[in-house]
Amino acid sequence: MAPPGPAGSHPTSAEPLSRSIFRKFLLMLCSLLTSLYVFYCLAERCQTLSGPVVGLSGSGEEAGAPAGRVLARGPGEPAAWPAAARRKRLLQVQPWLRRLPPAPGDAAAEEAAWEEEPPGLAGSPGGSGAGSSVAESPPGTLALLLDEGSKQLPQAIIIGVKKGGTRALLEFLRVHPDVRAVGAEPHFFDRSYHKGLAWYRDLMPRTLDGQITMEKTPSYFVTREAPARIAAMSRDTKLIVVVRDPVTRAVSDYTQTLSKRPDIPTFESLTFRNRSAGLIDTSWSAIQIGIYAKHLEHWLRHFPLRQLLFVSGERLIRDPAGELGRVQDFLGLKRIITDKHFYFNKTKGFPCLKKAEGSGRPHCLGKSKGRTHPDIDREVLRRLRDFYRPFNRKFYQMTGQDFGWDG
């Protein structure tokens, strides 16, 4: 017979049973925690896996994030992306741009989109058309499985002007996690209005609560029917107009056409209806677009001035972060896009993104941007400036901004 153990001790045979119960308890607890962890990941509350699970680009970088940067919460605290960035990554499992052949004779395919290049080097040939040749990134697979997001009519539209810097502004804005934009120019309110709003809405990307849907079509600004049509869709639509010195804009417009049609007449001959008399040919679109005050009058009949933001194309080059700050304020967005997102490419002569949406590499506008302008007779340029001066002054008065084109 075994001697009795010390008082208060438990039988030896009970110890394995206790350990078995304890192990089962730990296993159940681990299973419960794992289930909760997976649930919170799917609900976008898990920051640890939010990037790799739902937001990786083809290069392994997180979509919509500035290159190699995260937002720090504070000293000593772990850095994390805001909820808005995580929402956008949910919709972008593998952001990518694919090329589609532009429609024959489609003027909307004139502008080039983005091409990759390292900082400090000139842009390589390439780039896809901004009109009908840039397709929007497909929505995230996980977003579709969870039935997340929906297509909305745009709450903000970049309506002009051609050769003013609209493509640059749109691509800069797409870095913001709360902006979702169509890459191609829809041309709904000037060419495809007969197709109806349902068709137009279907062109838009999916968005989540708190995100803004945008599009840009520069020809809207000079289309007489566009203001009434956009107002009929929603009088609350915010309108952005990128404007540029009308003389420089006209030369840039001509340069673009010349690159496609080398046999066109000279800029000087197209500018004048009668050169000896000094009569400017306002029927030429390159000249007509720059009469901003005339076009703005049509818009102010349907929208109050407070719903239009006028972005300086010149300042967009000199100080992109400053102009983007104004745009973000106008759209009611947090100022996330700052000077840290840009570098100035001396070869191309304008700012580029350190990291564009859906890519881990620096991006600049394509080869159609920054073309060398042909030499224009200085006397012709002087007459053009004299022609535009009264229209410019009226435009300054209408907008409350002096863009300094006559200085």
Side-chain angles (χ1 to χ4, degrees):
M1 181 183 240
S9 65
H10 297 282
T12 306
S13 60
E15 292 181 2
L17 181 60
S18 299
R19 286 197 295 270
S20 176
I21 294 175
F22 182 70
R23 283 197 297 269
K24 290 181 179 179
F25 173 78
L26 285 180
L27 182 60
M28 292 176 62
L29 181 61
C30 290
S31 299
L32 178 61
L33 292 176
T34 302
S35 299
L36 290 174
Y37 185 75
V38 172
F39 173 80
Y40 276 96
C41 283
L42 293 177
E44 284 191 278
R45 298 180 185 275
C46 175
Q47 295 179 7
T48 306
L49 290 180
S50 59
V53 171
V54 299
L56 287 181
S57 67
S59 61
E61 295 291 330
E62 292 182 15
R69 294 182 63 242
V70 293
L71 303 179
R73 291 179 177 178
E77 292 185 336
W81 283 100
R86 297 199 302 276
R87 288 199 307 271
K88 188 168 188 179
R89 289 203 299 274
L90 180 66
L91 290 175
Q92 296 172 317
V93 173
Q94 190 174 355
W96 56 291
L97 289 176
R98 58 189 175 91
R99 298 188 63 176
L100 298 174
D106 186 359
E110 291 174 344
E111 289 188 318
W114 294 81
E115 64 183 11
E116 298 184 28
E117 71 170 358
L121 299 179
S124 59
S128 54
S132 59
S133 58
V134 179
E136 180 61 28
S137 305
T141 304
L142 183 57
L144 292 176
L145 290 175
L146 297 178
D147 196 24
E148 290 282 353
S150 59
K151 294 187 176 184
Q152 305 290 335
L153 292 170
Q155 296 91 46
I157 303 176
I158 300 174
I159 60 173
V161 299
K162 180 184 177 185
K163 307 307 296 179
T166 58
R167 171 55 53 182
L169 177 61
L170 182 69
E171 296 303 325
F172 292 165
L173 278 173
R174 290 174 75 172
V175 173
H176 199 292
D178 280 339
V179 172
R180 293 282 286 157
V182 169
E185 293 175 5
H187 283 278
F188 174 66
F189 295 103
D190 58 348
R191 301 179 189 172
S192 303
Y193 193 64
H194 62 281
K195 296 182 179 179
L197 287 174
W199 177 87
Y200 183 49
R201 182 189 288 109
D202 195 53
L203 298 178
M204 301 299 130
R206 286 178 179 265
T207 54
L208 296 172
D209 290 342
Q211 291 184 318
I212 292 177
T213 302
M214 291 189 66
E215 70 117 316
K216 79 106 177 171
T217 304
S219 55
Y220 289 164
F221 188 64
V222 297
T223 301
R224 291 185 66 97
E225 299 84 3
R229 290 173 175 178
I230 295 178
M233 177 186 73
S234 174
R235 291 188 176 275
D236 296 325
T237 306
K238 293 186 176 182
L239 309 171
I240 300 174
V241 190
V242 187
V243 290
R244 182 183 183 187
D245 181 338
V247 176
T248 308
R249 197 220 66 81
V251 175
S252 180
D253 199 335
Y254 172 80
T255 303
Q256 178 173 273
T257 305
L258 183 65
S259 69
K260 301 176 184 300
R261 296 167 50 199
D263 58 337
I264 63 172
T266 64
F267 180 87
E268 290 83 352
S269 61
L270 291 171
T271 297
F272 294 98
R273 183 177 299 171
N274 185 327
R275 186 168 182 177
S276 59
L279 295 177
I280 304 294
D281 187 358
T282 56
S283 65
W284 184 30
S285 63
I287 300 296
Q288 187 183 69
I289 291 173
I291 309 176
Y292 303 139
K294 171 186 173 183
H295 304 302
L296 181 57
E297 288 177 346
H298 301 308
W299 290 90
L300 293 180
R301 292 171 188 160
H302 300 274
F303 292 92
L305 186 62
R306 66 177 180 275
Q307 279 181 233
L308 288 93
L309 178 70
F310 301 92
V311 175
S312 167
E314 289 83 9
R315 286 197 295 268
L316 191 60
I317 295 175
R318 296 195 308 265
D319 180 22
E323 285 300 279
L324 264 292
R326 295 180 59 238
V327 176
Q328 290 173 94
D329 291 345
F330 175 70
L331 296 176
L333 299 170
K334 182 178 180 181
R335 285 200 178 197
I336 290 179
I337 306 172
T338 65
D339 56 355
K340 296 180 180 180
H341 287 83
F342 303 97
Y343 71 92
F344 189 82
N345 187 300
K346 295 181 180 179
T347 303
K348 296 183 77 69
F350 47 71
C352 301
L353 284 171
K354 291 181 179 178
K355 180 179 178 183
E357 181 195 40
S359 172
R361 299 177 61 185
H363 279 62
C364 270
L365 290 174
K367 65 177 182 178
S368 71
K369 304 302 180 182
R371 292 190 185 98
T372 301
H373 290 179
D375 292 329
I376 306 296
D377 187 328
R378 292 193 175 187
E379 177 62 19
V380 172
L381 295 178
R382 185 191 66 78
R383 290 191 181 185
L384 264 182
R385 294 202 177 279
D386 291 342
F387 167 77
Y388 278 122
R389 187 170 290 110
F391 297 108
N392 289 344
R393 289 176 178 171
K394 184 177 181 180
F395 184 66
Y396 299 164
Q397 293 174 351
M398 295 173 73
T399 62
Q401 294 178 240
D402 186 340
F403 291 91
W405 298 323
D406 305 307

